[in-house]
Amino acid sequence: MKIFASNQYLYWRVAAVKSIRKLILNADDFYSDMMDDISAVQPSDVSENVQPDIVNNQIRNGWLFEAVSQAEQGIEDIFSLLMNSKDIAYFAKNVVVYPAGEIKKYIWHFDTESIEHIMQEFGLPYFPLDEPWENQEVYKGYKDAVLLIQHYLKELIAFHKKYYLDYCQYKHGMAVALRPFGKEQTKNEVDVKEPGKGFLMTFDSYTVGRRQKFSEALPSMGLLVTEEIQPYVSRLHKEGNLLHYTMHDVDIDEVVAVTEKAYSLLNVVWLNLLKRSEMSEKDSVQEWVFPVEDYRKHMIIGFPVDL
């Protein structure tokens, strides 16, 4: 367990999304000496006299997809660890196995309303939050930390659901639209007042039923219905031959904040795993690690073993 932990860099997802944010906010300078490269191939419908702003359109959209993908993987990291770490012997064998479908199901069905369930999944001591302890300061620290875990879990699950199809389509194929929808914007037309914001446009051809399993939301339809096609729309849908799309707004600052929260919980679970591994039968007090709002820090509370 120690060898495995010593080779981890749990902060990587946060470092990745913050690197992407820095790149996006300084994109014009970053790509200034690469313009001939990135502008070499243009869509066939772009006039030679028009100079589209590829940096602040296609490339920015691509980096926003990449940032969301990193955040989604950060969320899956923490839930995968929770799912596999209840029994240390099982964890040692299965943590390097990545059953994506099982992890998604575990995330989307996680009971965030039950504090007892949350503490059980985190392997932490559970105490009712409406029964104060004699030591008020420690009780408040415990209660605040438990509610923070619950709050973070709700945010992470909501984010994972919202962007899950964007993440899958970006990761597995060419089903994302990096070029802006509609007219290609030139350098002078692009509004870069909020360079950290954008839209993720994703295509799919699933039936509505299968689509809802992926995202719990209905898509828009990207279809030009001519007289010849109209009689066959229902059949095309059943065959999975209709083009659908979704557009999600995204803010790089939100992506960074979500990734930090995933890291905070991931770090806490790892520290507690190591403490569980080091505990002996002679110990009368077991120390447990809890998160605080500053993701770079944590809190330790000791509990008598016989509680």
Side-chain angles (χ1 to χ4, degrees):
M1 183 70 77
K2 288 182 178 179
I3 291 172
F4 193 91
S6 67
N7 286 275
Q8 300 296 302
Y9 180 54
L10 303 181
Y11 193 74
W12 165 242
R13 305 292 186 197
V14 181
V17 295
K18 287 189 173 182
S19 298
I20 292 170
R21 178 172 65 183
K22 184 176 181 180
L23 195 157
I24 289 174
L25 297 181
N26 298 279
D28 286 322
D29 289 338
F30 184 87
Y31 288 104
S32 61
D33 61 349
M34 297 171 59
M35 291 308 299
D36 289 342
D37 246 354
I38 63 179
S39 304
V41 180
Q42 296 293 339
S44 58
D45 59 341
V46 174
S47 167
E48 292 182 2
N49 299 321
V50 175
Q51 294 298 320
D53 190 351
I54 293 175
V55 169
N56 290 296
N57 282 291
Q58 288 93 319
I59 290 178
R60 178 170 63 177
N61 290 341
W63 281 122
L64 287 171
F65 265 106
E66 180 63 31
V68 166
S69 181
Q70 288 289 344
E72 288 278 301
Q73 290 178 68
I75 294 168
E76 292 185 358
D77 286 345
I78 172 61
F79 281 96
S80 176
L81 189 60
L82 287 176
M83 190 173 75
N84 288 301
S85 64
K86 297 180 186 67
D87 177 73
I88 289 179
Y90 179 87
F91 168 83
K93 180 179 179 181
N94 292 281
V95 72
V96 293
V97 178
Y98 191 76
E102 291 180 28
I103 292 170
K104 181 225 175 186
K105 189 183 299 183
Y106 178 71
I107 296 172
W108 287 27
H109 292 90
F110 197 97
D111 184 3
T112 57
E113 296 303 324
S114 170
I115 297 294
E116 185 172 6
H117 175 73
I118 292 172
M119 292 296 97
Q120 178 184 343
E121 296 301 290
F122 273 75
L124 292 170
Y126 165 72
F127 298 96
L129 300 185
D130 56 356
E131 298 178 9
W133 307 343
E134 184 177 341
N135 189 320
Q136 289 289 320
E137 184 179 352
V138 177
Y139 165 73
K140 183 179 185 304
Y142 173 83
K143 182 177 180 179
D144 289 348
V146 170
L147 292 176
L148 187 65
I149 292 173
Q150 182 186 44
H151 175 65
Y152 281 4
L153 288 173
K154 289 182 177 181
E155 278 197 42
L156 297 179
I157 292 170
F159 186 97
H160 190 268
K161 288 182 176 181
K162 178 178 179 180
Y163 297 110
Y164 185 71
L165 187 62
D166 301 307
Y167 163 53
C168 289
Q169 297 297 80
Y170 170 73
K171 181 175 63 172
H172 293 304
M174 300 297 291
V176 297
L178 300 185
R179 185 185 174 197
F181 195 48
K183 179 180 176 289
E184 188 86 355
Q185 292 182 301
T186 65
K187 185 76 175 174
N188 294 331
E189 293 172 327
V190 173
D191 182 3
V192 291
K193 293 177 183 176
E194 296 181 313
K197 295 184 178 181
F199 292 91
L200 307 185
M201 187 174 180
T202 299
F203 294 109
D204 69 81
S205 59
Y206 301 136
T207 62
V208 170
R210 188 181 176 202
R211 178 65 162 64
Q212 286 185 294
K213 289 182 180 179
F214 264 84
S215 64
E216 296 186 343
L218 294 175
S220 300
M221 185 175 291
L223 175 68
L224 178 62
V225 181
T226 64
E227 283 188 39
E228 293 82 6
I229 292 175
Q230 191 170 357
Y232 305 103
V233 169
S234 177
R235 178 179 169 184
L236 288 167
H237 169 261
K238 290 179 182 178
E239 294 174 347
N241 278 325
L242 291 183
L243 184 65
H244 303 141
Y245 71 89
T246 55
M247 288 188 72
H248 285 141
D249 62 310
V250 62
D251 185 334
I252 190 63
D253 288 333
E254 177 198 1
V255 176
V256 169
V258 163
T259 312
E260 289 175 346
K261 291 168 184 175
Y263 163 78
S264 180
L265 296 185
L266 184 69
N267 189 45
V268 162
V269 176
W270 254 114
L271 291 172
N272 284 326
L273 266 175
L274 293 174
K275 286 184 174 294
R276 281 165 57 192
S277 301
E278 295 168 347
M279 187 178 177
S280 74
E281 294 179 357
K282 297 178 181 179
D283 294 330
S284 59
V285 174
Q286 172 67 53
E287 291 185 336
W288 295 107
V289 180
F290 292 85
V292 295
E293 289 192 5
D294 186 340
Y295 70 94
R296 294 160 295 190
K297 300 178 181 179
H298 57 267
M299 173 179 64
I300 296 177
I301 302 177
F303 296 88
V305 172
D306 57 358
L307 279 179

